[in-house]
Amino acid sequence: MTSLRARAVTGGILWAVAIIVLGLAGLSSYLTSQTQARFVEVLETRHAQAVVAVSNNSSSTQDLVRAIGDLAYQVPNSGQYWQVESDEGAIFASPSLVEARLPRPRSQNQGFIRREIAGPGEQGLLAISQWVTVKDGSMWHVQVASSLESFEEEQVILRNTLLTAFAFVSFVGVLGALTQVAVVLQPLNKLRQDVSGRWEQEDGLEVESYPIEVAPLVNDINTLMERNRDIMRRSRRQAADLAHAIKTPSAIMRNELENLDLGGAEVQEAIDALDRLDAQLKRSFARMRADGTDATVGVATDVDTSLGRMQRAFTALARNEGKSFSAAYEQNLRVRMDQSDFEEVMGNLLDNAMKWSASEVRLEASEAADGKIKITIADDGPGIPKEEITKATQSGQRLDTSMPGTGLGLAIAHDLVHAYGGKILLSKDEKLGGLAIHMRLPFASAKRAD
């Protein structure tokens, strides 16, 4: 999906390029016409000077050459030429023509004649000629010419100058467009960042801090966020109420089955079935509580506080069973997860590790390089074969019926962790040789402020 920034920048650049190209073409055409007009104007001025010189010095050819005394006419093949021819055929020319001569128009038209002709060495010339009648009644053909090469060179210089200027203008324009886009989209970037961090705040977004064009959208987002929070609160409350409502009948049934069992009745299958039912309900209620929580409500749990309680409880449990339990975790870490859900996950996983371990269980928690909270639980038990790992986290079936339990501890932990946007992976621990459970959980403000 194309971003607004890409669209604005692309549209601005295309529009700027179109304007610059049209401006360059128009300005180039205008300056070319102005340069050509100036070129012709200079040539007409030179022709007027030659006409005046002929009118005043027609009786003396030496005076005529001296009267048209521009230095450019003295340099051979300089590109500036004049030629005067009487009606009797006498020709006088500028020294710059050397031995060459300019072609004469066939007609004796009294008006200006402007044309392009070939000069010395096939040099392209623009010539202006005119038949002039002097005081003594004689007619003279006065012709001046200027090389077109100088005009073309001037045009090349002009085009290069224009291209350089417009390249600079284009660079400044694109830079200005990018700056303008960045300034215009800054409120949207701020809105994106604020919405991304909405999990850390319950008071919504500040509408006054946004432009009036964005304010309605911010209001709608605040309304939607609050509505979602309310829906999730009611959903979690209903799940808790339902769990509480089912817990009492389940406890009564369990109590009756235990009484029957004490009386010698064969009710173990019924007890196992009730255990599985309780575990499945517990898993479903956990899903209902956690579903969408990390995306709608700003929840956070102090990792060291919860793990401190876990450490004390499982240290005592391990001592009673003749095993060892160690925990190492960084201080001031906060995980974006409801405290009861976090402690339920940790309790299930540590209980499984303690149950299956031979003698040792280790717990480690730290902040990973990507900012996530990394928690590892390892034991020295038999572990889980690779082909059974997926089954352990998803099916909820008991992999070994020799141990008591429902087989849903890992599945419940897996559901809760994924519901909060985390990940849970199982592998063989390299140090202890048993099962290693690796969790990566989303952080809340990275670290708690003391």
Side-chain angles (χ1 to χ4, degrees), residues 87-126:
D87 53 0
E88 297 178 351
I91 298 177
F92 306 96
S94 63
S96 56
L97 276 172
V98 194
E99 300 296 332
R101 291 294 178 264
L102 302 177
R104 186 182 70 172
R106 297 179 180 178
S107 63
Q108 293 187 355
N109 188 350
Q110 294 295 318
F112 279 102
I113 297 177
R114 189 168 64 195
R115 57 197 177 121
E116 292 186 12
I117 60 175
E122 299 300 323
Q123 189 178 37
L125 304 174
L126 179 63

Side-chain angles (χ1 to χ4, degrees), residues 175-191:
L175 185 62
L178 294 175
T179 303
Q180 183 178 13
V181 168
V183 172
V184 171
L185 294 183
Q186 193 275 333
L188 294 181
N189 290 332
K190 179 178 182 297
L191 177 60

Side-chain angles (χ1 to χ4, degrees), residues 118-297:
E122 299 300 323
Q123 189 178 37
L125 304 174
L126 179 63
I128 295 180
S129 61
Q130 182 184 22
W131 283 96
V132 178
T133 302
V134 298
K135 296 178 182 180
D136 58 4
S138 61
M139 295 185 65
W140 295 80
H141 181 259
V142 181
Q143 184 173 202
V144 295
S146 183
S147 173
L148 292 172
E149 291 181 1
S150 60
F151 172 73
E152 293 172 355
E153 290 175 356
E154 188 173 354
Q155 288 296 102
V156 171
I157 294 174
L158 176 63
R159 282 194 294 269
N160 291 338
T161 302
L162 284 177
L163 288 174
T164 302
F166 272 89
F168 177 74
V169 171
S170 300
F171 173 77
V172 174
V174 171
L175 185 62
L178 294 175
T179 303
Q180 183 178 13
V181 168
V183 172
V184 171
L185 294 183
Q186 193 275 333
L188 294 181
N189 290 332
K190 179 178 182 297
L191 177 60
R192 182 187 64 183
Q193 295 172 359
D194 290 347
V195 170
S196 298
R198 69 189 184 278
W199 329 124
E200 308 304 329
Q201 53 187 354
E202 290 280 356
D203 54 351
L205 306 175
E206 296 182 3
V207 181
E208 296 77 11
S209 63
Y210 294 92
I212 57 175
E213 293 83 2
V214 184
L217 176 60
V218 178
N219 272 322
D220 291 343
I221 292 176
N222 279 337
T223 301
L224 180 61
M225 288 169 57
E226 184 57 35
R227 184 178 302 169
N228 285 347
R229 290 190 182 105
D230 183 60
I231 290 173
M232 294 312 303
R233 291 190 191 101
R234 285 190 280 112
S235 177
R236 290 170 63 85
R237 186 166 55 251
Q238 290 171 0
D241 293 343
L242 182 58
H244 182 73
I246 293 176
K247 186 181 297 183
T248 300
S250 175
I252 294 174
M253 292 176 61
R254 186 178 299 280
N255 185 58
E256 292 296 328
L257 289 172
E258 288 177 352
N259 289 334
L260 291 174
D261 185 45
L262 291 175
E266 294 293 333
V267 293
Q268 187 58 46
E269 291 185 5
I271 294 175
D272 292 341
L274 184 59
D275 288 340
R276 290 194 297 273
L277 177 61
D278 285 345
Q280 288 288 0
L281 289 173
K282 186 176 182 182
R283 182 182 187 185
S284 297
F285 291 144
R287 282 179 172 177
M288 293 171 63
R289 291 198 316 272
D291 189 24
T293 299
D294 68 319
T296 55
V297 182

Side-chain angles (χ1 to χ4, degrees), residues 25-47:
L27 184 58
S28 178
S29 176
Y30 171 76
L31 292 179
T32 297
S33 63
Q34 291 297 309
T35 303
Q36 185 175 8
R38 187 173 68 253
F39 181 79
V40 173
E41 182 182 0
V42 171
L43 190 59
E44 289 176 348
T45 301
R46 291 178 181 274
H47 182 266

